[in-house]
Amino acid sequence: MDIKQLIGETTDYDKKLALEEKKPKSWCKSISAFANCFGGKLIFGVSNDNELVGLADAEGDAEKISEAIKIHLNPIPEFKLSFEKDGDKTFVIVEVMKGQQTPYYYEGDGQLVAFMRIGNESVPATPSQLRELVLRGSGESYDSLKSRYDFDNMSFTKLKSVYKQRTGNTFEDTDYESFGLIDEKGNLTNAGALLADESPVRHSRLFCTRWNGLTKASGIVDALDDKEYMGSLVTLLQAGTDFVRNNSKKAWRKVGDGRIEMPDYPDRAVLEGVVNALIHRNYMEIGSEVHIDMFDDRIEIYSPGGMVSGISLEGKDLLKIPSKRRNPILADIFSRLKYMERRGSGFKKILADYEGQVEFDESKMPVFDADNDDFTLTLYNLNYGTNYATQVNENVIENVIENVIENVIEISEEKMKQLMPEYSKKKLTKACEILKMISENPNISIEELRIALDVTDRTIARYISELKDKGIIERKGPDNGGKWEIR
């Protein structure tokens, strides 16, 4: 028999070689952590290297364990004691249930400490975790609590307009309470503060960065685009998805008389990822915000706060994980706005959206990573490492030159390479930046371009000349007062 056979199916476990009567904290902290998190089993009679040793007086130790839990745990968690045998060796197993009256404290030696499970260790809860445990034990959620802001100082025009646009319904005054933006006494809730046009909750900001390369330090120019957004969560959602769209490209493949568009990232997967990050994050974690980091080959969407249940996702079937909501009022409001479903199927939708793409393979499967404090979703660029755009047909160069490019950000580097085969990736990036700036401001001067790119007069002149010679840009009118056109 091994330890896995000994404990059976369980989410988490800890082990002690023997009962340390004079050091109850050494094992009671595991009882506290299991009750505060998602339950677990503590096995007595097993060494650190998993050798099954057994206890000399298992029945006597079981009585002492039960008594120590009642003395040192406050409140007393629900637990069961059982005996297991392996030949002539006897073990005591303490099964601790996930508690509903959190936090469960260890009390002793003048201390009152609540513990949490981090990996295979039981560690003291952080202030943020302790606040969340208190809320869970009271049956309340952060978004339902009265905020410290005045409802009369808030406006909700963004929420109202999006509600009308997406549902066809008009937001009535009675909806403030039915949505959970105010409580029964008219006080602004935390949900209301987060959804106000000028949200006063500073740590609800969204940071978006398009990094240059595969890491956050890939070259001289670290970031190609960098934005910080504040305001209503509805505004942040739209800004985050727009940022991803504006910094993505679409490849395409000719089929018959038409073509198949192949986006870097499926729209629905991106929307679900950003919604989940904003709605399910831990807003009691001060000083940490939601981040969207875009690299050449992937997007990483980070939000403070792990899974609500505290479980790790490693080795789990993502399609079978039950949905639990940290902020049920926010989740309900975004469901009413038709951005998400009440039954909670974000994981499934993200996976299904990827699997439905023509360029999908198993190596591009989204990755979900969570621990007690953090959640990160990684979405892989479906077009990275491919050459779809260059294999379309021989007329692709002509199409790029002759057609007006409505969104310069969608010019792929592969298309640019066909026009400028001598360009390195760094030079192609510069050329694309020039096109982006010209599309945003056709009146921009060469000197303004030079300053923005931090290059010499000679370098910017060479870029402009080559782009003009290739028929990609054209100057209309005089040097002073004229404007650029992208062809």
Side-chain angles (χ1 to χ4, degrees):
M1 179 180 290
D2 60 25
I3 192 168
K4 290 294 185 183
Q5 294 172 302
L6 184 66
I7 61 177
E9 291 294 328
T10 186
T11 304
D12 200 4
Y13 72 92
D14 205 350
K15 54 188 183 293
K16 297 293 291 184
L17 177 60
L19 173 63
E20 297 180 85
E21 293 182 61
K22 296 184 179 181
K23 296 180 180 180
K25 183 181 177 182
S26 67
W27 58 271
C28 279
K29 64 182 182 182
S30 295
I31 305 294
S32 165
F34 289 145
N36 284 326
C37 292
F38 36 87
K41 293 181 179 179
L42 177 60
I43 309 103
F44 288 89
V46 181
S47 68
N48 286 334
D49 58 2
N50 289 342
E51 181 184 357
L52 303 185
V53 178
L55 299 172
D57 182 12
E59 291 189 8
D61 285 344
E63 292 182 9
K64 294 173 183 176
I65 290 168
S66 178
E67 188 64 25
I69 291 175
K70 294 173 183 176
I71 292 173
H72 293 288
L73 271 295
N74 185 17
I76 300 171
E78 182 182 357
F79 68 97
K80 293 192 302 185
L81 286 172
S82 62
F83 300 95
E84 290 290 340
K85 283 187 170 291
D86 180 28
D88 59 350
K89 301 172 185 176
T90 305
F91 308 86
V92 173
I93 298 180
V94 185
E95 182 177 5
V96 184
M97 316 305 169
K98 178 181 178 179
Q100 302 301 318
Q101 296 177 287
T102 57
Y104 292 85
Y105 294 96
Y106 165 77
E107 190 173 12
D109 307 320
Q111 298 178 319
L112 188 66
V113 185
F115 288 87
M116 300 286 288
R117 289 294 285 183
I118 303 295
N120 60 357
E121 293 185 90
S122 299
V123 300
T126 65
S128 171
Q129 290 170 334
L130 192 57
R131 288 193 294 269
E132 197 165 11
L133 287 172
V134 171
L135 276 180
R136 196 178 96 198
S138 66
E140 296 182 297
S141 60
Y142 168 84
D143 56 353
S144 70
L145 298 179
K146 173 186 173 182
S147 75
R148 55 191 181 92
Y149 307 104
D150 190 346
F151 171 69
D152 293 332
N153 295 331
M154 301 295 156
S155 62
F156 296 88
T157 55
K158 185 67 175 180
L159 174 63
K160 292 177 181 179
S161 64
V162 171
Y163 182 60
K164 177 69 173 179
Q165 175 190 356
R166 296 183 66 85
T167 69
N169 300 323
T170 300
F171 190 95
E172 307 290 347
D173 287 344
T174 54
D175 288 328
Y176 285 114
E177 184 175 345
S178 67
F179 273 53
L181 303 176
I182 59 174
D183 61 22
E184 66 278 0
K185 296 180 180 179
N187 299 308
L188 185 73
T189 63
N190 285 327
L194 288 165
L195 284 160
D197 291 337
E198 302 294 332
S199 174
V201 185
R202 182 168 174 78
H203 63 280
S204 70
R205 293 173 295 172
L206 172 65
F207 291 90
C208 301
T209 308
R210 172 55 170 102
W211 298 96
N212 182 25
L214 301 178
T215 69
K216 294 182 179 181
S218 296
I220 297 175
V221 180
D222 289 339
L224 302 177
D225 195 5
D226 190 26
K227 296 287 191 301
E228 175 185 336
Y229 300 105
M230 300 177 65
S232 166
L233 291 186
V234 178
T235 299
L236 299 186
L237 172 61
Q238 294 179 343
T241 52
D242 285 346
F243 182 90
V244 172
R245 189 177 300 111
N246 292 337
N247 282 280
S248 302
K249 308 179 183 72
K250 283 186 180 179
W252 55 274
R253 185 169 65 194
K254 189 172 179 64
V255 289
D257 295 331
R259 69 181 189 180
I260 297 175
E261 288 192 343
M262 297 178 289
D264 285 352
Y265 304 98
D267 288 341
R268 186 69 196 187
V270 172
L271 175 64
E272 290 288 340
V274 180
V275 166
N276 287 339
L278 293 172
I279 301 310
H280 298 306
R281 68 152 287 183
N282 181 1
Y283 282 99
M284 290 186 290
E285 188 72 47
I286 307 298
S288 186
E289 295 85 9
V290 173
H291 286 252
I292 299 177
D293 291 303
M294 296 186 69
F295 303 89
D296 288 358
D297 65 336
R298 69 194 186 282
I299 296 174
E300 293 178 359
I301 303 176
Y302 164 83
S303 61
M307 296 291 289
V308 180
S309 61
I311 66 171
S312 168
L313 296 179
E314 186 176 357
K316 301 289 191 306
D317 183 345
L318 297 176
L319 300 180
K320 296 181 179 180
I321 294 176
S323 175
K324 295 186 179 181
R325 301 177 296 177
R326 177 178 275 110
N327 300 301
I329 292 178
L330 293 178
D332 179 68
I333 291 173
F334 273 72
S335 173
R336 295 190 192 209
L337 295 175
K338 301 187 183 301
Y339 280 124
M340 61 187 297
E341 296 182 3
R342 278 188 172 88
R343 64 176 179 266
S345 55
F347 285 5
K348 297 176 184 177
K349 285 187 175 180
I350 291 171
L351 295 173
D353 202 11
Y354 259 75
E355 291 172 347
Q357 301 299 314
V358 294
E359 65 269 49
F360 173 76
D361 63 59
E362 291 296 326
S363 67
K364 301 293 178 69
M365 183 70 76
V367 174
F368 304 83
D369 184 50
D371 56 26
N372 285 73
D373 300 313
D374 310 288
F375 186 96
T376 303
L377 166 64
T378 302
L379 300 176
Y380 289 100
N381 186 336
L382 291 168
N383 292 319
Y384 181 76
T386 67
N387 58 350
Y388 292 121
T390 62
Q391 292 180 349
V392 178
N393 58 44
E394 296 177 355
N395 296 323
V396 68
I397 298 177
E398 183 179 346
N399 290 339
V400 173
I401 297 175
E402 292 185 353
N403 294 333
V404 175
I405 301 168
E406 295 180 356
N407 186 352
V408 173
I409 300 170
E410 290 187 2
I411 297 177
S412 74
E413 289 181 2
E414 293 298 332
K415 291 179 181 178
M416 292 291 293
K417 281 181 180 177
Q418 293 182 61
L419 297 175
M420 302 176 179
E422 71 279 9
Y423 269 31
S424 65
K425 182 173 182 179
K426 181 178 178 182
K427 287 184 177 181
L428 284 171
T429 300
K430 291 288 188 187
C432 287
E433 288 182 55
I434 291 172
L435 294 177
K436 178 183 175 184
M437 287 186 281
I438 287 176
S439 72
E440 293 173 347
N441 179 16
N443 299 313
I444 192 170
S445 68
I446 292 179
E447 177 62 14
E448 289 172 328
L449 288 170
R450 185 194 69 77
I451 294 172
L453 292 174
D454 192 24
V455 295
T456 64
D457 291 334
R458 184 175 179 179
T459 298
I460 191 64
R462 186 178 69 251
Y463 276 118
I464 294 297
S465 176
E466 290 175 350
L467 287 170
K468 289 168 69 175
D469 291 345
K470 299 290 185 180
I472 298 176
I473 63 173
E474 182 179 1
R475 182 72 179 180
K476 294 288 188 179
D479 290 342
N480 294 323
K483 66 177 183 179
W484 299 102
E485 284 190 0
I486 299 175
R487 302 185 62 186

